[in-house]
Amino acid sequence: MSWQKLVSDEEQARFAEIMRLMDERYSALRFDQFQHWLQCKQEAGKHPELFGWFDGDPIDLTNIRQVMAVTSDQDDDGHRSGLGISMLGIAADVIPETEWDLQNIETWLSRFLLCVKQLIGLDATIRAIRPKTMTWKAAEQIHDLMKTGIVFDSDVAAEGRLHAGVYQERDIGDSLYWKMRITRLDQRPPSESAATGVLGESLSVQR
């Protein structure tokens, strides 16, 4: 059980299918739109990357349970900065609707965040956009947890318990622009004003 980078055409197709099946409940994402998104981010130098969490052998794409797309700036050594969470998906065709309870939603969100931590480390700023209107309760709950904050165990024992949450928010019309951070639970930063700061280019997909 682990996160793996998805690079092949077959893996990208499975990613798009998971997002389509999940998103069609509130905002359909067609495969051609997904390819357009990839191309635009690549041309803009935003280094789009796709990841899948496998419950079993990563060779078998039916074992993917969660997916995540991120974009970032990268230096010549491949170090990421300005990372944005662009898409979060759950394998709705595999996971029964009855499993969409709060406990599992917390587990799924903590897995997403552990993948982000592995990519960019602790205490770094993460950008995300939360649509104001969402009609699928499960997706709304994931975003609500991101806003209110979540405490979870690190996959590195020395880091102990971690906290992730939004420390800055800005209204950008039909969506909310968030800045988030993952920190050790005993090192949470003080709250920062949601009304201040300069809104840079969002690295997330507005849907």
Side-chain angles (χ1 to χ4, degrees), residues 6 12 15 31-44 47-50 69-71 87:
L6 307 178
Q12 290 188 12
F15 180 101
F31 186 61
D32 59 342
Q33 292 176 320
F34 170 70
Q35 292 293 348
H36 178 70
W37 176 84
L38 274 179
Q39 181 178 352
C40 288
K41 294 302 180 182
Q42 289 166 348
E43 292 175 351
H47 302 281
E49 297 176 282
L50 310 178
V70 300
T71 52
M87 296 180 229

Side-chain angles (χ1 to χ4, degrees), residues 76-96:
D76 293 340
D77 296 323
H79 297 135
R80 300 173 181 86
S81 61
L83 186 140
I85 302 174
S86 291
M87 296 180 229
L88 301 177
I90 305 293
D93 58 331
V94 176
I95 300 172

Side-chain angles (χ1 to χ4, degrees), residues 32-205:
D32 59 342
Q33 292 176 320
F34 170 70
Q35 292 293 348
H36 178 70
W37 176 84
L38 274 179
Q39 181 178 352
C40 288
K41 294 302 180 182
Q42 289 166 348
E43 292 175 351
K46 293 303 180 183
H47 302 281
E49 297 176 282
L50 310 178
F51 297 89
W53 190 85
F54 289 78
D55 184 9
D57 190 339
I59 295 177
D60 186 350
L61 298 185
T62 64
N63 288 331
I64 294 180
R65 297 293 181 269
Q66 298 178 228
V67 293
M68 178 171 66
V70 300
T71 52
S72 65
D73 297 312
Q74 294 185 21
D75 62 21
D76 293 340
D77 296 323
H79 297 135
R80 300 173 181 86
S81 61
L83 186 140
I85 302 174
S86 291
M87 296 180 229
L88 301 177
I90 305 293
D93 58 331
V94 176
I95 300 172
E97 191 75 20
T98 54
E99 292 190 19
W100 284 92
D101 56 35
L102 183 58
Q103 182 177 353
N104 281 332
I105 287 171
E106 290 177 346
T107 298
W108 296 331
L109 179 56
S110 66
R111 283 196 198 126
F112 288 127
L113 293 168
L114 286 174
C115 185
V116 169
K117 179 184 74 75
Q118 292 167 9
L119 295 175
I120 204 169
L122 292 172
D123 303 316
T125 295
I126 310 157
R127 298 185 178 114
I129 283 181
R130 195 267 198 224
K132 286 182 180 177
T133 302
M134 304 181 75
T135 57
W136 190 25
K137 188 64 176 178
E140 186 177 42
Q141 286 178 300
I142 289 176
H143 284 81
D144 287 347
L145 269 177
M146 292 169 71
K147 171 65 183 292
T148 59
I150 182 173
V151 175
F152 56 100
D153 290 324
S154 174
D155 53 350
V156 177
E159 293 174 348
R161 300 276 280 168
L162 303 178
H163 173 269
V166 175
Y167 71 86
Q168 188 177 107
E169 178 180 283
R170 182 168 175 175
D171 191 318
I172 56 172
D174 59 358
S175 301
L176 299 173
Y177 173 89
W178 288 344
K179 287 186 177 180
M180 304 170 58
R181 190 175 289 134
I182 304 172
T183 62
R184 294 186 183 185
L185 185 58
D186 58 357
Q187 296 179 349
R188 288 176 58 182
S191 297
E192 299 182 39
S193 171
T196 60
V198 177
L199 179 64
E201 179 191 359
S202 169
L203 299 181
S204 302
V205 172

